[in-house]
Amino acid sequence: MKNRLILLDNGHGIETAGKRSPILQDGSQLFEYEFNRDIVRRIAKALDKEQIDYVILVPELKDVSLAERVKRANAHHAKCGKHTCLISVHSNAGGGTGFEVFTSVGQTKSDEFAQIMFDAFKKEFPEQKMRSDRVDGDDDKESNFYILKNTNCPAMLTESFFMDHLQDLKILMSEYGRSRIAKAHVEAIKKIIKL
Ligand SMILES: [Zn+2]
């Protein structure tokens, strides 16, 4: 096993209000908790094959508070005796299109890892919009999201496409789209664990 533990966080729970797409004409709808869990499950399956150590921080279907997620992440970080990296998997909403990745504010190891994730998505989805913030010289966006600010290890939060954008939603709801989203995460993780 390689010397970095990947902490996979799937955001939100089955009962989380909002966090869902509009209902499509055929009656189908995307729920973010389901998408996040499916992507994390796909990543985990690939990491098994690659013999990369990982933990799924929220095996539950219900929503687990951010404080509890951070507590779990920091406990794994403290006891595993390895470098760690947390990846929180989400899908976006609020009017927009494309992919973006967040780190905490300020330059840390997280920025280096998030750039690798950004580049992996750019490679996997050359036809899609990559949303970046180049003010500080890299492509990640920075925010004081609780989980990014309070974890003791490098951490990033991926926002794969927009649930409320019809073209993006097609990617999010398709088998092909989901396999590509998982693949981009895995390609990035394979590079990150070598650092
Ligand atoms: Zn989310």
Side-chain angles (χ1 to χ4, degrees), residues 11-12 19 32-33 36 88-93 157-159 163:
H12 318 300
K19 307 292 179 190
E32 195 191 345
Y33 84 91
N36 296 341
S88 188
V89 172
H90 291 256
S91 175
N92 226 331
L157 187 148
T158 60
E159 292 277 14
M163 290 179 277

Short mmCIF file of all heavy atoms in Angstrom, two decimals, residues 11-12 19 32-33 36 88-93 157-159 163, ligand 1:
data_model
loop_
_atom_site.label_atom_id
_atom_site.label_comp_id
_atom_site.label_asym_id
_atom_site.label_seq_id
_atom_site.Cartn_x
_atom_site.Cartn_y
_atom_site.Cartn_z
N GLY A 11 -20.75 14.43 0.16
CA GLY A 11 -21.52 15.48 0.82
C GLY A 11 -23.01 15.20 0.89
O GLY A 11 -23.57 14.53 0.03
N HIS A 12 -23.63 15.73 1.95
CA HIS A 12 -25.10 15.74 2.10
C HIS A 12 -25.68 14.34 2.36
O HIS A 12 -24.99 13.34 2.23
CB HIS A 12 -25.78 16.39 0.90
CG HIS A 12 -25.08 17.62 0.45
ND1 HIS A 12 -24.90 18.72 1.28
CD2 HIS A 12 -24.47 17.94 -0.72
CE1 HIS A 12 -24.22 19.64 0.63
NE2 HIS A 12 -23.93 19.20 -0.58
N LYS A 19 -30.46 20.81 -2.71
CA LYS A 19 -29.44 19.87 -3.18
C LYS A 19 -30.02 18.81 -4.12
O LYS A 19 -29.79 17.62 -3.97
CB LYS A 19 -28.73 19.19 -1.99
CG LYS A 19 -28.17 20.13 -0.95
CD LYS A 19 -27.01 20.93 -1.48
CE LYS A 19 -26.44 21.91 -0.46
NZ LYS A 19 -25.48 22.84 -1.07
N GLU A 32 -28.37 15.23 -4.99
CA GLU A 32 -26.92 15.33 -4.86
C GLU A 32 -26.34 14.25 -3.94
O GLU A 32 -25.26 13.74 -4.21
CB GLU A 32 -26.49 16.73 -4.40
CG GLU A 32 -24.99 16.93 -4.64
CD GLU A 32 -24.40 18.17 -3.99
OE1 GLU A 32 -25.16 19.06 -3.59
OE2 GLU A 32 -23.16 18.23 -3.89
N TYR A 33 -27.04 13.93 -2.87
CA TYR A 33 -26.49 12.92 -1.94
C TYR A 33 -26.23 11.61 -2.69
O TYR A 33 -25.24 10.93 -2.44
CB TYR A 33 -27.43 12.68 -0.74
CG TYR A 33 -28.54 11.70 -1.03
CD1 TYR A 33 -28.37 10.34 -0.78
CD2 TYR A 33 -29.73 12.12 -1.61
CE1 TYR A 33 -29.37 9.43 -1.10
CE2 TYR A 33 -30.73 11.22 -1.92
CZ TYR A 33 -30.55 9.87 -1.67
OH TYR A 33 -31.52 8.97 -1.98
N ASN A 36 -23.18 12.10 -5.16
CA ASN A 36 -21.90 12.15 -4.44
C ASN A 36 -21.49 10.75 -3.97
O ASN A 36 -20.32 10.37 -4.06
CB ASN A 36 -22.01 13.08 -3.23
CG ASN A 36 -22.26 14.52 -3.63
OD1 ASN A 36 -22.02 14.91 -4.77
ND2 ASN A 36 -22.74 15.34 -2.70
N SER A 88 -13.60 16.08 -0.95
CA SER A 88 -15.04 16.13 -0.73
C SER A 88 -15.73 16.28 -2.09
O SER A 88 -15.44 17.20 -2.85
CB SER A 88 -15.38 17.32 0.18
OG SER A 88 -16.74 17.27 0.56
N VAL A 89 -16.61 15.32 -2.39
CA VAL A 89 -17.20 15.21 -3.73
C VAL A 89 -18.59 15.83 -3.76
O VAL A 89 -19.46 15.46 -2.97
CB VAL A 89 -17.26 13.72 -4.15
CG1 VAL A 89 -18.03 13.55 -5.45
CG2 VAL A 89 -15.85 13.15 -4.28
N HIS A 90 -18.79 16.77 -4.66
CA HIS A 90 -20.08 17.47 -4.77
C HIS A 90 -20.44 17.73 -6.23
O HIS A 90 -19.61 17.61 -7.13
CB HIS A 90 -20.01 18.84 -4.07
CG HIS A 90 -19.91 18.76 -2.59
ND1 HIS A 90 -20.96 19.01 -1.76
CD2 HIS A 90 -18.86 18.43 -1.80
CE1 HIS A 90 -20.58 18.84 -0.51
NE2 HIS A 90 -19.30 18.48 -0.50
N SER A 91 -21.70 18.14 -6.40
CA SER A 91 -22.11 18.71 -7.67
C SER A 91 -22.68 20.10 -7.38
O SER A 91 -23.26 20.34 -6.33
CB SER A 91 -23.15 17.81 -8.33
OG SER A 91 -23.60 18.44 -9.50
N ASN A 92 -22.53 20.97 -8.34
CA ASN A 92 -22.82 22.38 -8.16
C ASN A 92 -24.27 22.73 -8.48
O ASN A 92 -24.97 21.95 -9.13
CB ASN A 92 -21.90 23.18 -9.08
CG ASN A 92 -21.25 24.35 -8.39
OD1 ASN A 92 -21.80 24.90 -7.45
ND2 ASN A 92 -20.08 24.74 -8.87
N ALA A 93 -24.67 23.92 -8.07
CA ALA A 93 -25.97 24.47 -8.47
C ALA A 93 -25.90 25.98 -8.30
O ALA A 93 -24.98 26.50 -7.69
CB ALA A 93 -27.09 23.90 -7.62
N LEU A 157 -12.38 20.40 -2.35
CA LEU A 157 -13.79 20.09 -2.58
C LEU A 157 -14.07 20.25 -4.07
O LEU A 157 -13.83 21.32 -4.64
CB LEU A 157 -14.65 21.04 -1.74
CG LEU A 157 -16.16 20.80 -1.69
CD1 LEU A 157 -16.72 21.23 -0.34
CD2 LEU A 157 -16.89 21.53 -2.80
N THR A 158 -14.50 19.15 -4.70
CA THR A 158 -14.76 19.21 -6.14
C THR A 158 -16.24 19.47 -6.39
O THR A 158 -17.11 18.89 -5.74
CB THR A 158 -14.34 17.90 -6.85
OG1 THR A 158 -15.07 16.80 -6.31
CG2 THR A 158 -12.85 17.63 -6.68
N GLU A 159 -16.50 20.35 -7.31
CA GLU A 159 -17.88 20.63 -7.74
C GLU A 159 -17.97 20.23 -9.22
O GLU A 159 -17.58 20.98 -10.11
CB GLU A 159 -18.20 22.13 -7.59
CG GLU A 159 -18.28 22.62 -6.15
CD GLU A 159 -19.63 22.36 -5.47
OE1 GLU A 159 -20.44 21.57 -6.01
OE2 GLU A 159 -19.86 22.95 -4.40
N MET A 163 -26.17 20.89 -11.35
CA MET A 163 -27.43 20.14 -11.36
C MET A 163 -28.55 20.92 -12.02
O MET A 163 -29.55 20.34 -12.45
CB MET A 163 -27.87 19.85 -9.93
CG MET A 163 -27.03 18.87 -9.18
SD MET A 163 -27.68 18.68 -7.51
CE MET A 163 -26.92 20.08 -6.68
ZN ZN B 1 -22.87 19.87 -2.32
#
